[in-house]
Amino acid sequence: MGIENSRILNEDLKERIVTAETAASWIGDGMTLGLSGFTRAGDLKAIPDALVKRAETDPFKVNVFTGASLGSDIDRMFAEADIINKRLPFQADPRMRQGINEGSFHFVDQHLSHTSEMLRQGVLPEVDYAILEAVSIKEDGTIIPTTSVGNSLAFAMHAEHIIVEINEAQPGALEGVHDLYAPAPQGQREPIPLVSPEERIGTEGIQVDPAKIKGIIFTNQLDSPSTVTPPDAETRDIAGHLIDFLKEEVRLGKLPENLVPLQSGIGSVANAVFHGLLDSDFEHLQVYSEVLQDSVIDLLDAGKVDFASGCSVTLSEDKMKQVFSNFEDYRDRVVLRPQEISNHPEIIRRLGLISINTAVEMDIYGNVNSTHVGGTKMMNGIGGSGDFARNSRLGIFVTKSIAKDGDISSIVPFVPHVDHTEHDVDVIVTDQGYADLRGLAPRERAGLIIERCAHPSYREQLHDYFEAALERGGQTPHMLEEALAWHREFETNGSMKKLVKS
Ligand code: COA
């Protein structure tokens, strides 16, 4: 049986197999593309190259909407080929980042649960082409996604045309792991019927009218592996302090022994924090998160986590081999949902999540900057951190207390960009310790954050700032002319430490 016979079950659709070059030729200048892919998982393997090649002789610009960041160097290639007009809702590529910060194209830094809703409301432009990676297409046209769901359901629903890349390298065993559910438009909407992480509320694939599928391409390439670095001394310390905090909550009867469903953000720090749970006494944990990284697989393997819900599986090369050569072992313990559902405020509040996300920096009152280095330069984007922090039972932010060999303090007087206000930040954790901010007024928070979370080399400097600010008074005391001086000092002299009195 040819591969098209086993992976395309609809006879008519077999007639629509085309080359990536043909599919790329359909894309017109000014169009909006909705591409599958979430944190490197389930992105496209052929059409992006074909688009970039076409742009060499036939320049064009498009809006590129995705689930989150892409792998396979797609964002780098798109940025270099200068084919982007607008990019949303998240990216994590250095070259794309450079283009954004140079102003070469527009980037909309959006809460990841919002994109689908904005498409539904007609706020974002209609998607001309949804281009989606799939394991297979069923007889009725249902598209079975691969390692991520992301925004693919919303793109398929709102697109005029759909192009499918069937990736033979993605295991057929992925079929059955997805749970596709789209809320009705606001005003006609029922409660989303999900009350625990392991429940299924939708269909196993993206149901579309087969007439919308304009072309099908075959590819054979695994996702690019994640680049998360292994835990180091500081991230182990962060994990240790976080686990101490959680144990104390259990001891005080504020959390049950198996905690509540956990969410962990992207990046090395968040991955290390989840790894820390491996050596803890916690058992029968549940994960209700966005990206399932290596650490979640390790926790499933160790029997610490009973079930994990996410919207993508993004793994290192070794972990990918282990998981996908043996996916039957995981299938009943993992579900992949649209990011609108994995990140939905209604579900996050109902399940009462503990959410753990990484900050670039925090200030002495608990405001968090997750996105803008030095207050102006985009790093990656807010991602799902706002969806989770605002709505979870416990919104926790972690960061190393210093960056750039100690020239930057990650606890500053005033963050120069705010992604999460003091109202949404319950607990902050650094390699120095944790500060539980719940129920504390700004003046109570500052001393605690400085003592427990700031690096010793910056504590005196922070205390000096706070004490001088107190003399000016206010609910949230500040010396506005000094508040951003640390960032200015780093920019001009290369270290925030230059301010330290000798
Ligand atoms: N000022 C300037 N740069 C800083 C900094 C600070 N206060 N703190 C960290 N950095 C730099 C690091 O030096 C490092 O730079 P490099 O790439 O040049 O080495 C970079 O930021 C990443 O820091 P790292 O400590 O390796 O953290 P990470 O890989 O865990 O990533 C974030 C941290 C904040 C960038 C990342 O978690 C993120 O993009 N978060 C926002 C989105 C989000 O939370 N999504 C999760 C929702 S599920």
Side-chain angles (χ1 to χ4, degrees), residues 192-274:
I192 300 171
L194 185 78
V195 295
S196 66
E198 74 283 5
E199 277 181 350
R200 302 188 65 92
I201 56 173
T203 57
E204 289 190 357
I206 301 171
Q207 294 179 334
V208 297
D209 174 0
K212 270 171 83 167
I213 301 180
K214 183 163 173 180
I216 301 171
I217 289 119
F218 275 86
T219 64
N220 193 337
Q221 185 186 321
L222 282 174
D223 292 333
S224 32
S226 70
T227 51
V228 161
T229 49
D232 58 21
E234 283 102 342
T235 54
R236 276 197 204 95
D237 286 346
I238 294 172
H241 296 309
L242 179 66
I243 287 162
D244 287 346
F245 164 73
L246 294 175
K247 280 186 183 157
E248 185 62 4
E249 289 290 287
V250 173
R251 195 184 67 76
L252 295 170
K254 294 192 211 164
L255 285 173
E257 277 188 8
N258 67 337
L259 303 177
V260 289
L262 300 164
Q263 176 266 335
S264 154
I266 54 153
S268 311
V269 179
N271 198 50
V273 165
F274 253 28

Coordinates of all heavy atoms in Angstrom, one line a residue, residues 192-274:
I192 N -17.3 25.6 29.1 CA -16.4 24.5 28.5 C -16.5 23.3 29.4 O -16.1 23.5 30.6 CB -15.0 25.1 28.3 CG1 -15.0 26.3 27.3 CG2 -14.1 24.0 27.7 CD1 -13.7 27.0 27.2
P193 N -16.9 22.1 28.9 CA -17.2 21.0 29.9 C -16.0 20.2 30.3 O -16.0 19.0 30.3 CB -18.2 20.2 29.0 CG -17.8 20.4 27.6 CD -17.2 21.8 27.5
L194 N -14.9 20.9 30.7 CA -13.7 20.2 31.1 C -13.5 20.5 32.6 O -13.3 21.6 33.0 CB -12.5 20.8 30.3 CG -11.2 20.0 30.5 CD1 -11.2 18.7 29.8 CD2 -10.0 20.9 30.1
V195 N -13.5 19.4 33.4 CA -13.4 19.7 34.9 C -12.2 18.9 35.4 O -11.9 19.1 36.6 CB -14.7 19.3 35.7 CG1 -15.8 20.2 35.3 CG2 -15.1 17.8 35.5
S196 N -11.5 18.2 34.6 CA -10.2 17.6 35.1 C -9.3 17.4 33.9 O -9.7 17.2 32.8 CB -10.4 16.4 35.9 OG -10.9 15.3 35.1
P197 N -7.9 17.4 34.1 CA -7.0 17.4 33.0 C -7.1 16.3 32.0 O -6.8 16.4 30.9 CB -5.6 17.4 33.7 CG -5.8 18.0 35.0 CD -7.2 17.6 35.4
E198 N -7.5 15.1 32.5 CA -7.5 13.9 31.6 C -8.8 13.8 30.8 O -8.9 12.9 29.9 CB -7.3 12.6 32.4 CG -8.4 12.1 33.3 CD -8.6 12.9 34.6 OE1 -7.9 13.9 34.8 OE2 -9.5 12.5 35.4
E199 N -9.8 14.7 31.0 CA -11.0 14.5 30.3 C -10.9 14.9 28.8 O -10.1 15.8 28.4 CB -12.1 15.4 30.9 CG -12.7 14.8 32.1 CD -13.8 15.6 32.7 OE1 -13.9 16.8 32.3 OE2 -14.5 15.1 33.6
R200 N -11.7 14.3 28.0 CA -11.7 14.6 26.6 C -13.1 15.2 26.3 O -14.1 14.7 26.7 CB -11.6 13.3 25.7 CG -10.3 12.5 26.0 CD -10.1 11.4 25.0 NE -10.0 12.0 23.7 CZ -8.8 12.3 23.2 NH1 -7.7 12.0 23.8 NH2 -8.7 12.8 22.0
I201 N -13.1 16.3 25.6 CA -14.4 17.0 25.3 C -14.7 17.2 23.8 O -15.7 17.8 23.5 CB -14.4 18.4 26.1 CG1 -13.2 19.2 25.6 CG2 -14.4 18.1 27.6 CD1 -13.3 20.6 26.2
G202 N -13.7 16.8 23.0 CA -13.9 17.1 21.6 C -13.7 15.9 20.6 O -13.9 14.8 21.0
T203 N -13.1 16.2 19.5 CA -12.9 15.2 18.5 C -11.4 14.9 18.3 O -10.6 15.6 18.8 CB -13.4 15.7 17.1 OG1 -12.7 16.9 16.8 CG2 -14.9 16.0 17.1
E204 N -11.1 13.8 17.7 CA -9.7 13.3 17.6 C -8.9 14.1 16.5 O -7.7 13.9 16.3 CB -9.6 11.8 17.4 CG -10.0 11.1 18.6 CD -9.7 9.6 18.5 OE1 -9.2 9.1 17.5 OE2 -9.9 8.9 19.6
G205 N -9.6 14.8 15.7 CA -9.0 15.5 14.6 C -9.7 16.8 14.2 O -10.7 17.2 14.8
I206 N -9.2 17.6 13.3 CA -9.7 18.8 12.8 C -10.7 18.5 11.7 O -10.3 18.1 10.6 CB -8.6 19.8 12.3 CG1 -7.6 20.0 13.5 CG2 -9.2 21.1 11.8 CD1 -6.3 20.8 13.0
Q207 N -12.0 18.7 12.0 CA -13.0 18.4 11.0 C -13.2 19.6 10.1 O -13.5 20.7 10.5 CB -14.3 18.1 11.7 CG -14.2 16.8 12.6 CD -15.5 16.4 13.3 OE1 -16.3 17.3 13.6 NE2 -15.6 15.2 13.6
V208 N -12.9 19.3 8.8 CA -13.1 20.4 7.8 C -13.9 19.9 6.6 O -13.9 18.6 6.4 CB -11.7 20.9 7.3 CG1 -10.9 21.5 8.4 CG2 -10.9 19.8 6.6
D209 N -14.4 20.8 5.9 CA -15.0 20.4 4.6 C -13.9 20.1 3.6 O -13.0 20.9 3.4 CB -15.8 21.7 4.1 CG -16.4 21.4 2.7 OD1 -16.2 20.3 2.1 OD2 -17.0 22.4 2.2
P210 N -13.9 18.8 3.1 CA -12.7 18.4 2.2 C -12.6 19.4 1.1 O -11.4 19.5 0.5 CB -13.1 17.0 1.8 CG -14.1 16.5 2.7 CD -14.8 17.7 3.3
A211 N -13.6 20.1 0.7 CA -13.5 21.0 -0.5 C -12.5 22.1 -0.2 O -11.9 22.7 -1.1 CB -14.9 21.6 -0.8
K212 N -12.3 22.4 1.1 CA -11.4 23.5 1.5 C -10.0 23.1 1.3 O -9.1 24.0 1.3 CB -11.7 24.0 2.9 CG -12.7 25.1 3.1 CD -13.1 25.3 4.5 CE -12.2 26.2 5.3 NZ -12.7 26.7 6.6
I213 N -9.7 21.8 1.3 CA -8.3 21.3 1.2 C -7.9 21.5 -0.3 O -8.3 20.7 -1.1 CB -8.2 19.9 1.7 CG1 -8.6 19.8 3.2 CG2 -6.7 19.4 1.5 CD1 -8.5 18.4 3.8
K214 N -7.0 22.4 -0.5 CA -6.6 22.7 -1.9 C -5.4 21.9 -2.4 O -5.3 21.5 -3.5 CB -6.3 24.2 -2.0 CG -6.0 24.7 -3.4 CD -6.1 26.2 -3.5 CE -5.5 26.6 -4.9 NZ -5.6 28.1 -5.0
G215 N -4.5 21.6 -1.4 CA -3.4 20.8 -1.8 C -2.8 20.0 -0.7 O -3.0 20.4 0.5
I216 N -2.1 18.9 -1.0 CA -1.5 18.1 0.0 C 0.0 17.8 -0.4 O 0.2 17.5 -1.6 CB -2.2 16.7 0.1 CG1 -3.7 17.0 0.5 CG2 -1.6 15.8 1.2 CD1 -4.6 15.8 0.5
I217 N 0.9 17.9 0.5 CA 2.3 17.7 0.3 C 2.8 16.6 1.2 O 2.3 16.6 2.4 CB 3.1 19.0 0.5 CG1 2.7 20.0 -0.6 CG2 4.6 18.8 0.5 CD1 2.1 21.2 -0.1
F218 N 3.6 15.8 0.7 CA 4.2 14.8 1.6 C 5.6 15.2 2.1 O 6.4 15.7 1.3 CB 4.3 13.4 1.0 CG 3.0 12.7 1.1 CD1 2.0 12.9 0.2 CD2 2.8 11.8 2.2 CE1 0.8 12.2 0.3 CE2 1.6 11.1 2.3 CZ 0.6 11.3 1.4
T219 N 5.9 15.1 3.4 CA 7.2 15.4 3.9 C 7.7 14.2 4.8 O 6.9 13.3 5.1 CB 7.2 16.7 4.8 OG1 6.4 16.4 5.9 CG2 6.7 17.9 4.0
N220 N 9.0 14.2 5.1 CA 9.5 13.1 6.0 C 10.6 13.7 6.8 O 11.8 13.5 6.5 CB 10.0 12.0 5.1 CG 10.2 10.7 5.9 OD1 10.5 10.8 7.1 ND2 10.2 9.6 5.2
Q221 N 10.3 14.4 7.9 CA 11.3 15.0 8.7 C 10.8 15.3 10.1 O 9.7 15.8 10.2 CB 11.7 16.4 8.0 CG 12.8 17.1 8.7 CD 12.9 18.5 8.1 OE1 12.8 18.7 6.9 NE2 13.2 19.5 8.9
L222 N 11.5 14.9 11.1 CA 11.1 15.1 12.5 C 11.1 16.6 12.8 O 11.8 17.4 12.2 CB 12.0 14.3 13.4 CG 11.7 12.8 13.5 CD1 12.8 12.1 14.4 CD2 10.3 12.5 14.1
D223 N 10.4 16.9 13.9 CA 10.5 18.3 14.4 C 12.0 18.6 14.8 O 12.7 17.7 15.2 CB 9.7 18.5 15.7 CG 8.2 18.3 15.4 OD1 7.7 18.6 14.3 OD2 7.5 17.9 16.4
S224 N 12.3 19.9 14.8 CA 13.7 20.2 15.3 C 13.6 20.1 16.8 O 12.7 20.5 17.4 CB 14.1 21.6 14.8 OG 13.1 22.5 14.7
P225 N 14.7 19.5 17.4 CA 14.7 19.2 18.8 C 14.7 20.5 19.6 O 15.2 21.5 19.1 CB 15.9 18.4 19.0 CG 16.8 18.5 17.8 CD 15.9 19.0 16.7
S226 N 14.3 20.4 20.8 CA 14.3 21.6 21.7 C 15.7 21.9 22.1 O 16.6 21.0 22.0 CB 13.5 21.3 23.0 OG 14.1 20.4 23.8
T227 N 16.0 23.1 22.5 CA 17.4 23.6 22.8 C 17.5 23.9 24.2 O 18.4 24.6 24.6 CB 17.7 24.8 22.0 OG1 16.6 25.8 22.2 CG2 17.8 24.5 20.5
V228 N 16.6 23.3 25.0 CA 16.7 23.6 26.5 C 18.0 23.1 27.1 O 18.3 21.9 26.9 CB 15.4 23.0 27.1 CG1 15.6 22.9 28.6 CG2 14.2 23.8 26.8
T229 N 18.6 24.0 27.8 CA 19.9 23.5 28.4 C 19.6 22.8 29.8 O 18.6 23.1 30.4 CB 20.8 24.7 28.7 OG1 20.1 25.7 29.4 CG2 21.4 25.3 27.4
P230 N 20.4 21.8 30.1 CA 20.2 21.0 31.3 C 20.3 21.9 32.6 O 20.9 23.0 32.5 CB 21.3 20.0 31.4 CG 22.2 20.2 30.2 CD 21.7 21.4 29.4
P231 N 19.7 21.5 33.7 CA 19.7 22.3 34.9 C 21.1 22.6 35.4 O 22.1 21.8 35.1 CB 19.1 21.3 36.0 CG 18.2 20.4 35.2 CD 18.9 20.2 33.9
D232 N 21.4 23.8 35.9 CA 22.7 24.2 36.5 C 22.5 24.4 38.0 O 21.4 24.3 38.5 CB 23.3 25.3 35.7 CG 22.4 26.6 35.7 OD1 21.5 26.7 36.6 OD2 22.5 27.5 34.9
A233 N 23.5 24.9 38.6 CA 23.5 25.1 40.1 C 22.3 26.1 40.4 O 21.5 25.8 41.4 CB 24.8 25.7 40.6
E234 N 22.2 27.2 39.7 CA 21.2 28.2 40.1 C 19.8 27.6 39.8 O 18.9 27.8 40.6 CB 21.4 29.5 39.3 CG 22.5 30.4 39.7 CD 23.7 30.2 38.9 OE1 23.8 29.2 38.1 OE2 24.5 31.1 38.9
T235 N 19.6 27.0 38.7 CA 18.2 26.5 38.4 C 17.8 25.4 39.4 O 16.7 25.3 39.8 CB 18.0 26.1 36.9 OG1 19.0 25.1 36.6 CG2 18.1 27.2 36.0
R236 N 18.8 24.6 39.8 CA 18.6 23.6 40.9 C 18.2 24.3 42.2 O 17.2 23.8 42.8 CB 19.8 22.7 41.1 CG 19.8 21.6 40.1 CD 20.8 20.5 40.5 NE 21.2 19.8 39.3 CZ 22.3 20.0 38.7 NH1 23.2 20.9 39.1 NH2 22.6 19.4 37.5
D237 N 18.8 25.4 42.5 CA 18.5 26.1 43.7 C 17.1 26.7 43.6 O 16.3 26.6 44.6 CB 19.5 27.2 44.0 CG 20.8 26.7 44.5 OD1 20.9 25.5 44.9 OD2 21.8 27.5 44.5
I238 N 16.7 27.2 42.4 CA 15.4 27.7 42.2 C 14.4 26.6 42.5 O 13.4 26.8 43.2 CB 15.2 28.3 40.8 CG1 16.1 29.6 40.6 CG2 13.7 28.7 40.5 CD1 16.1 30.1 39.2
A239 N 14.6 25.5 41.8 CA 13.7 24.3 42.0 C 13.6 23.9 43.5 O 12.5 23.7 44.0 CB 14.2 23.1 41.2
G240 N 14.7 23.9 44.2 CA 14.7 23.6 45.6 C 13.9 24.5 46.4 O 13.0 24.1 47.2
H241 N 14.0 25.8 46.2 CA 13.2 26.8 47.0 C 11.7 26.7 46.6 O 10.9 26.8 47.5 CB 13.7 28.2 46.7 CG 15.1 28.5 47.1 ND1 15.5 28.2 48.4 CD2 16.2 29.0 46.4 CE1 16.8 28.5 48.5 NE2 17.2 29.0 47.3
L242 N 11.4 26.4 45.4 CA 10.0 26.3 45.0 C 9.4 25.1 45.6 O 8.3 25.1 46.1 CB 9.9 26.2 43.4 CG 8.5 26.0 42.9 CD1 7.7 27.3 43.1 CD2 8.6 25.8 41.4
I243 N 10.1 24.0 45.7 CA 9.6 22.8 46.3 C 9.4 23.0 47.8 O 8.5 22.5 48.4 CB 10.5 21.6 45.9 CG1 10.2 21.3 44.4 CG2 10.2 20.4 46.8 CD1 11.1 20.4 43.7
D244 N 10.4 23.7 48.4 CA 10.2 24.0 49.8 C 8.9 24.8 50.0 O 8.2 24.5 51.0 CB 11.4 24.9 50.3 CG 12.6 24.1 50.5 OD1 12.6 22.8 50.4 OD2 13.7 24.7 50.6
F245 N 8.7 25.7 49.2 CA 7.4 26.5 49.3 C 6.2 25.6 49.2 O 5.3 25.7 50.0 CB 7.4 27.6 48.2 CG 6.0 28.2 48.1 CD1 5.5 29.1 49.0 CD2 5.2 27.9 47.0 CE1 4.2 29.6 48.9 CE2 4.0 28.4 46.8 CZ 3.4 29.3 47.8
L246 N 6.2 24.8 48.2 CA 5.0 23.9 48.0 C 4.8 22.9 49.1 O 3.7 22.7 49.6 CB 5.2 23.1 46.6 CG 5.2 23.9 45.4 CD1 5.5 23.1 44.1 CD2 3.9 24.7 45.2
K247 N 5.9 22.4 49.7 CA 5.8 21.5 50.8 C 5.2 22.3 52.0 O 4.4 21.7 52.8 CB 7.2 21.0 51.2 CG 7.8 19.9 50.4 CD 9.1 19.4 51.0 CE 9.7 18.3 50.2 NZ 11.1 18.3 50.5
E248 N 5.6 23.5 52.2 CA 5.1 24.3 53.3 C 3.6 24.5 53.1 O 2.8 24.5 54.1 CB 5.9 25.6 53.4 CG 5.6 26.5 54.5 CD 5.9 25.9 55.9 OE1 6.5 24.8 56.0 OE2 5.6 26.6 56.9
E249 N 3.2 24.8 51.9 CA 1.8 25.0 51.6 C 1.0 23.7 52.0 O -0.1 23.8 52.5 CB 1.5 25.3 50.2 CG 2.0 26.7 49.7 CD 1.2 27.8 50.3 OE1 0.0 28.0 49.8 OE2 1.6 28.5 51.2
V250 N 1.6 22.5 51.7 CA 0.9 21.3 52.0 C 0.9 21.1 53.5 O -0.2 20.7 54.1 CB 1.6 20.1 51.3 CG1 1.1 18.7 51.8 CG2 1.6 20.2 49.8
R251 N 2.0 21.4 54.2 CA 2.1 21.2 55.6 C 1.0 22.1 56.3 O 0.4 21.7 57.3 CB 3.5 21.6 56.1 CG 3.8 21.2 57.6 CD 5.2 21.7 58.0 NE 5.2 23.1 58.2 CZ 4.7 23.8 59.2 NH1 4.1 23.2 60.2 NH2 4.8 25.1 59.2
L252 N 0.8 23.3 55.8 CA -0.2 24.2 56.4 C -1.6 23.9 56.0 O -2.5 24.6 56.3 CB 0.2 25.6 56.0 CG 1.5 26.2 56.6 CD1 1.9 27.5 55.9 CD2 1.5 26.3 58.1
G253 N -1.8 22.9 55.1 CA -3.1 22.5 54.7 C -3.7 23.4 53.6 O -4.9 23.3 53.4
K254 N -2.8 24.2 53.0 CA -3.3 25.1 52.0 C -3.4 24.4 50.6 O -4.0 24.9 49.7 CB -2.5 26.4 51.9 CG -2.5 27.2 53.1 CD -1.9 28.5 52.9 CE -1.3 29.1 54.1 NZ -0.3 30.2 53.8
L255 N -2.6 23.3 50.4 CA -2.6 22.6 49.2 C -2.8 21.1 49.5 O -2.2 20.7 50.6 CB -1.4 22.8 48.4 CG -1.2 24.1 47.6 CD1 0.2 24.2 47.1 CD2 -2.2 24.3 46.5
P256 N -3.4 20.3 48.7 CA -3.5 18.8 49.0 C -2.1 18.2 48.7 O -1.3 18.8 48.1 CB -4.5 18.3 48.0 CG -4.6 19.4 46.9 CD -4.2 20.7 47.5
E257 N -1.9 17.0 49.2 CA -0.6 16.3 49.1 C -0.1 16.1 47.7 O 1.1 16.1 47.5 CB -0.7 15.0 49.9 CG -0.4 15.2 51.4 CD -0.2 14.0 52.2 OE1 -0.1 12.9 51.6 OE2 -0.2 14.1 53.4
N258 N -1.1 15.9 46.8 CA -0.6 15.7 45.4 C -0.8 17.0 44.6 O -0.8 17.0 43.4 CB -1.4 14.6 44.7 CG -2.9 14.9 44.5 OD1 -3.4 15.7 45.3 ND2 -3.5 14.3 43.6
L259 N -0.8 18.1 45.4 CA -0.9 19.5 44.9 C -2.2 19.7 44.0 O -3.2 19.0 44.3 CB 0.4 19.8 44.0 CG 1.7 19.7 44.8 CD1 2.9 19.9 43.9 CD2 1.7 20.6 46.0
V260 N -2.1 20.5 43.0 CA -3.2 20.8 42.1 C -2.5 20.7 40.7 O -1.3 20.7 40.7 CB -3.9 22.1 42.4 CG1 -4.7 22.1 43.6 CG2 -2.9 23.3 42.4
P261 N -3.3 20.7 39.6 CA -2.6 20.6 38.3 C -1.6 21.7 38.1 O -1.8 22.8 38.5 CB -3.8 20.7 37.3 CG -5.0 20.2 38.1 CD -4.8 20.7 39.5
L262 N -0.5 21.3 37.5 CA 0.7 22.2 37.4 C 0.8 22.6 36.0 O 0.7 21.9 35.0 CB 2.0 21.4 37.8 CG 2.1 20.9 39.2 CD1 3.2 19.8 39.3 CD2 2.3 22.0 40.2
Q263 N 1.2 23.9 35.8 CA 1.6 24.4 34.5 C 3.1 24.9 34.6 O 3.4 25.6 35.6 CB 0.7 25.6 34.1 CG 1.1 26.3 32.8 CD 2.0 27.5 33.0 OE1 2.0 28.1 34.0 NE2 2.8 27.8 32.0
S264 N 3.9 24.6 33.7 CA 5.2 25.2 33.7 C 5.5 25.8 32.3 O 5.2 25.3 31.3 CB 6.2 24.1 34.0 OG 7.5 24.4 33.4
G265 N 6.2 27.0 32.4 CA 6.5 27.7 31.1 C 7.6 27.1 30.3 O 8.1 26.1 30.6
I266 N 8.0 27.9 29.3 CA 9.1 27.5 28.5 C 10.4 27.9 29.0 O 10.5 28.7 29.9 CB 8.9 28.1 27.1 CG1 8.8 29.6 27.2 CG2 7.8 27.5 26.3 CD1 9.3 30.3 25.9
G267 N 11.5 27.3 28.5 CA 12.8 27.7 28.8 C 13.5 26.8 29.8 O 13.0 25.9 30.3
S268 N 14.8 27.1 29.9 CA 15.7 26.3 30.7 C 15.3 26.3 32.2 O 15.3 25.3 32.9 CB 17.1 26.8 30.6 OG 17.4 26.9 29.2
V269 N 14.9 27.5 32.7 CA 14.6 27.6 34.1 C 13.4 26.8 34.4 O 13.3 26.0 35.4 CB 14.5 29.1 34.5 CG1 14.1 29.2 36.0 CG2 15.7 29.9 34.2
A270 N 12.3 27.0 33.7 CA 11.1 26.3 33.9 C 11.2 24.8 33.8 O 10.7 24.0 34.6 CB 10.0 26.8 33.0
N271 N 12.0 24.4 32.8 CA 12.3 22.9 32.6 C 13.0 22.3 33.9 O 12.7 21.3 34.4 CB 13.2 22.7 31.4 CG 13.1 21.3 30.9 OD1 12.0 20.7 30.7 ND2 14.3 20.7 30.7
A272 N 14.0 23.1 34.4 CA 14.8 22.7 35.6 C 13.9 22.6 36.8 O 14.0 21.7 37.6 CB 15.9 23.6 35.8
V273 N 12.9 23.5 36.9 CA 12.0 23.5 38.0 C 11.2 22.2 38.0 O 11.0 21.5 39.1 CB 11.1 24.7 38.0 CG1 10.0 24.6 38.9 CG2 12.0 26.0 38.4
F274 N 10.7 21.9 36.9 CA 9.9 20.6 36.8 C 10.8 19.4 37.1 O 10.3 18.5 37.7 CB 9.2 20.5 35.4 CG 7.8 20.8 35.4 CD1 7.2 21.6 36.4 CD2 6.9 20.2 34.5 CE1 5.8 21.8 36.4 CE2 5.5 20.4 34.5 CZ 5.0 21.2 35.5

